[in-house]
Amino acid sequence: MTCDASLAVTDNILNFIDGAYREGSGGESFPNVNPATGLQIGIVHEASEADVADAVAAAKAALHGPWGSTTTEERVKLIAAVANEIERRSDDFLAAEVADTGKPRQVASHIDIPRSAANFRMFADVILTMPGETFRGPTPDGGQALNYTVRRPKGVIAIVCPWNFPLLLMTWKVGPALACGNTVVVKPSEETPRTAALLGEVMNTVGIPRGVYNVVHGFGPDSAGEFLTSNPDVDGITFTGETATGEAIMQKAAVGVRDISFELGGKNPAIVFADADMDKAVEGLSRSVFLNTGQVCLGSERVYVERTIFDAFVERMKKAAEGFKPGASGDPAYLGPLISAEHRDKVQRYYRRAVEEGATVVTGGGVPEVSGNQAGGFYVEPTVWTGLAHSASVMREEIFGPCCGIVPFDSEDEVIALANDTPYGLCASVWTENLSRGHRVAAAMDVGVCWVNSWFLRDLRTAFGGSGQSGIGREGGVHSLEFYTELTNICVKL
Ligand code: NAD
């Protein structure tokens, strides 16, 4: 794809291969658009198949260069330095992330950028305290044997990322990959290439050897994403994105039997019991539905509320939704745009379909009036529905917008069955002041993560991932080490 040169373009966003910035060798590029205005603000230089092969070759070579002989302690120091440098340059990362996503600065400065630094710092700590196992036992000849494990880097890791929390979700994988001694080739989303590219500068500044961290820009099929995931010198693929993309990547990973770790889509339920603290539940769930304009894999698009408090809860969520101001940049209640015109069209299709499927639109459902520079941005109204059947596609498919359907329930068993009746299994939240019920219902959820009286409260040492079509494997704390290392058992006859 070639960009439209008549548009205002200020930035060149380059690939980062073997420690240096490069245009694509095929001469291709595509526009970088600010979703808050709809205007082109940069040119992304697309990696050709040869560029992707170069990046993988650089990563493979780096495994055998100075990086390959670093001790854990040396790597930990370098990785902590990456965290410090992200913090020192947080204004640059903030500007890049806001330009790519249009998200409120307040969201990026409180979530995206600090979490990215924390991702490196936490895995630097985890690797130093990595547990191993040792067994001493009898052998058939009456002697003894000592068995113990060592962990080795897996090799070249391909990291394929989405656009909703670009730097945060990428560093969640780059941090442990490097801590374990791997090298990486990152394919950021075509919508949000800036922070991945900027991180190359940080790697050079702190002295990460060339070839350890590489970035290739482009799309999925027949572009950088597919070139990378089908490269035979990639030893493992970690991917965050849509379930359908995970299926396509899994087919590529099957060739050569390469390992995968997948964090995929969801249609997450929230359950509010009549004994919940209403203020906390409304506050938590309005964040869970509307934060990042609903573009959060952990967001709640299905909200089940016990019938006796249903009307009161719906009224409170309506007020909360109407408190968000799409396009009112600078306002503390600013609701950012969706990532692209294409995604806005998809969300609008679901808004129309909800009505066709019998929803009562409690609030929203349309495109807001936005004036000034943001008039071309990709905004939609925060939206709440009631009256949708469990079988409605709007209640079954991931929309990834600022919207939810609220449904009444009468019993605990009924709501557990409703919540679990989905092919997805990423997360859930349960809201109740009854301690026993909180534990019981959380344990009954068929998900990777369940919150009680909270949402998106993360301790990075815990396992994160989804069951069913929401993912394969768990990352976080020592769980990340399972994917980013090969475990060797050593057996010594004593
Ligand atoms: P996406 O699957 O469209 O794209 C993700 C990445 O995959 C992009 O870099 C894209 O270029 C690349 N890609 C697309 N097709 C490919 C192919 N055939 N081969 C190789 N690479 C390919 O996802 P998105 O729209 O960027 O992100 C939104 C999705 O991500 C939602 O479904 C959301 O739930 C999910 N998500 C999940 C988590 C989680 O932790 N489970 C976190 C964030 C987002």
Side-chain angles (χ1 to χ4, degrees):
M1 202 189 298
T2 305
C3 62
D4 180 351
S6 66
L7 292 169
V9 172
T10 55
D11 293 336
N12 273 300
I13 301 155
L14 299 166
N15 302 285
F16 183 73
I17 299 171
D18 206 13
Y21 285 96
R22 287 201 200 169
E23 294 186 358
S25 61
E28 298 286 297
S29 62
F30 56 91
N32 174 243
V33 172
N34 181 348
T37 61
L39 297 176
Q40 182 175 351
I41 52 170
I43 295 174
V44 191
H45 291 264
E46 189 173 351
S48 66
E49 190 164 9
D51 299 327
V52 174
D54 279 358
V56 174
K60 192 173 177 182
L63 285 171
H64 306 291
W67 183 247
S69 52
T70 50
T71 63
T72 302
E73 287 70 19
E74 286 165 343
R75 284 200 306 276
V76 160
K77 270 198 193 134
L78 284 169
I79 289 162
V82 172
N84 293 341
E85 185 66 6
I86 290 175
E87 279 169 354
R88 197 185 67 77
R89 296 193 60 184
S90 62
D91 285 349
D92 297 339
F93 279 101
L94 189 58
E97 208 68 304
V98 169
D100 270 354
T101 60
K103 68 173 72 188
R105 286 180 73 82
Q106 199 227 12
V107 171
S109 64
H110 281 86
I111 301 178
D112 298 68
I113 312 304
R115 241 302 290 281
S116 303
N119 283 339
F120 283 101
R121 205 162 274 136
M122 190 272 297
F123 284 109
D125 286 345
V126 166
I127 197 81
L128 281 177
T129 52
M130 180 167 59
E133 59 183 26
T134 312
F135 296 107
R136 184 181 165 137
T139 55
D141 63 2
Q144 288 275 307
L146 178 70
N147 281 277
Y148 65 94
T149 52
V150 292
R151 285 188 182 272
R152 296 174 295 112
K154 180 162 276 169
V156 177
I157 306 289
I159 301 179
V160 183
C161 305
W163 42 257
N164 56 338
F165 292 96
L167 184 67
L168 185 160
L169 291 170
M170 179 190 69
T171 51
W172 175 241
K173 295 169 182 300
V174 175
L178 299 196
C180 293
N182 301 284
T183 58
V184 302
V185 181
V186 173
K187 210 300 276 174
S189 168
E190 53 273 33
E191 311 286 358
T192 53
R194 286 172 187 259
T195 46
L198 188 55
L199 193 61
E201 288 183 20
V202 168
M203 297 291 173
N204 282 350
T205 302
V206 307
I208 299 275
R210 66 193 178 92
V212 171
Y213 174 81
N214 304 274
V215 180
V216 290
H217 296 300
F219 302 84
D222 201 25
S223 183
E226 185 177 334
F227 301 149
L228 177 60
T229 51
S230 45
N231 188 304
D233 284 332
V234 164
D235 299 295
I237 303 168
T238 176
F239 166 70
T240 302
E242 286 184 20
T243 299
T245 310
E247 286 175 351
I249 291 177
M250 207 165 170
Q251 290 181 4
K252 301 295 173 193
V255 180
V257 205
R258 276 97 45 77
D259 202 359
I260 52 165
S261 174
F262 283 176
E263 296 177 347
L264 307 176
K267 188 73 178 177
N268 310 307
I271 301 175
V272 186
F273 286 98
D275 62 13
D277 179 320
M278 184 74 119
D279 291 343
K280 282 188 201 150
V282 170
E283 193 276 328
L285 287 175
S286 58
R287 275 196 317 118
S288 162
V289 176
F290 304 117
L291 178 73
N292 213 38
T293 318
Q295 302 166 117
V296 182
C297 57
L298 304 167
S300 311
E301 291 187 354
R302 298 185 288 148
V303 180
Y304 299 101
V305 179
E306 199 161 350
R307 196 176 300 275
T308 51
I309 59 160
F310 183 78
D311 290 344
F313 182 87
V314 170
E315 194 48 39
R316 296 278 303 266
M317 280 296 279
K318 174 178 189 292
K319 271 212 186 87
E322 290 170 356
F324 289 98
K325 303 277 181 273
S329 176
D331 188 301
Y334 173 46
L335 189 76
L338 295 172
I339 191 68
S340 62
E342 190 191 359
H343 188 50
R344 182 194 52 198
D345 293 348
K346 175 185 157 186
V347 172
Q348 278 189 273
R349 274 198 300 280
Y350 277 106
Y351 280 16
R352 285 193 293 275
R353 204 191 294 169
V355 175
E356 289 157 18
E357 293 187 319
T360 299
V361 180
V362 175
T363 186
V367 173
E369 289 283 327
V370 175
S371 59
N373 188 31
Q374 292 177 299
F378 310 128
Y379 296 93
V380 291
E381 288 176 340
T383 297
V384 173
W385 302 292
T386 56
L388 282 161
H390 183 62
S391 57
S393 66
V394 173
M395 293 300 283
R396 301 196 69 77
E397 296 168 15
E398 182 184 55
I399 302 171
F400 226 52
C403 54
C404 69
I406 312 185
V407 175
F409 70 87
D410 294 299
S411 76
E412 193 177 303
D413 287 349
E414 175 199 5
V415 77
I416 289 172
L418 285 170
N420 282 339
D421 184 23
T422 169
Y424 293 111
L426 187 55
C427 73
S429 67
V430 179
W431 302 81
T432 176
E433 291 296 296
N434 178 327
L435 189 64
S436 305
R437 174 151 49 203
H439 287 289
R440 189 169 62 236
V441 176
M445 292 292 101
D446 187 1
V447 294
V449 185
C450 184
W451 283 282
V452 178
N453 294 334
S454 64
W455 174 77
F456 208 164
L457 186 59
R458 296 278 294 116
D459 180 327
L460 304 184
R461 295 168 298 181
T462 59
F464 182 82
S467 61
Q469 291 184 15
S470 288
I472 296 180
R474 296 290 182 273
E475 297 196 32
V478 292
H479 305 278
S480 293
L481 308 182
E482 293 293 332
F483 176 72
Y484 294 103
T485 59
E486 286 295 345
L487 190 64
T488 301
N489 186 78
I490 297 178
C491 176
V492 182
K493 176 101 168 51
L494 298 176

